[in-house]
Every structure is written in structure tokens, then in C-alpha cells.
Amino acid sequence: MLKVYCPDVLDEFDVVTADRSAWVRENRESIKRGVKTGLPQTDIARLAAESMQAATDLERIKLELAAVILGRYSMRDGWESL
């Protein structure tokens, strides 16, 4: 149903989650190896920056989706009388 009202937001959600998933798949083994043997500081900085960017993107799209859902399907109306 949301695809009708906010296709751009849902498409961006799909892209952001797919990007995060791909990042995890691409970096999983090097992170595991790095935990055991250590990683150069440059690799740690890069992985941290990429991870934080993904988290920022996920948080942003989560807030956008929440705003659309609350704006369209707010269940607050009428609850005050219960």
C-alpha cells in the first residue's frame, strides 16, 4: 500500500538496505580476519566510516518512512476519548 503513496521513499529504502547488505557480504571475511589478526588503522578507519554512513542512511530512510506512515495512517486521532 505504501508503494502507492511514497514509491520514491520505498525505492530508496530498497536501495539503502541492499547497499548495506552488499557491504556486509563484501567485508565480512576481512572483518573476521581483522578481529583475529588485526587490521591496519587505515582499514579500520575506512570500515568505520563506511559502516557509519550505512547507519546514517538507514536512520534517514527509517525516519522518512515513519513520517509517511504517521502522516497517512495515524492512529492517534480519536484515541484521546478512550
Side-chain angles (χ1 to χ4, degrees):
M1 184 61 121
L2 287 174
K3 196 74 161 169
V4 172
Y5 295 109
C6 58
D8 295 343
V9 175
L10 286 180
D11 288 345
E12 188 170 354
F13 175 81
D14 290 343
V15 168
V16 167
T17 54
D19 287 351
R20 174 62 178 173
S21 179
W23 184 89
V24 169
R25 281 191 310 276
E26 291 167 8
N27 292 285
R28 179 181 290 138
E29 290 308 315
S30 64
I31 291 170
K32 283 182 183 179
R33 205 170 33 256
V35 168
K36 292 178 182 175
T37 63
L39 285 172
Q41 190 61 37
T42 55
D43 288 349
I44 292 170
R46 178 186 57 80
L47 290 167
E50 291 172 356
S51 183
M52 287 305 299
Q53 183 60 55
T56 299
D57 292 344
L58 288 167
E59 181 67 16
R60 179 182 45 76
I61 200 67
K62 178 186 85 170
L63 293 173
E64 287 180 33
L65 278 171
V68 169
I69 291 168
L70 290 173
R72 292 236 174 241
Y73 307 106
S74 177
M75 294 181 12
R76 294 181 193 162
D77 298 337
W79 283 59
E80 295 82 14
S81 63
L82 294 178

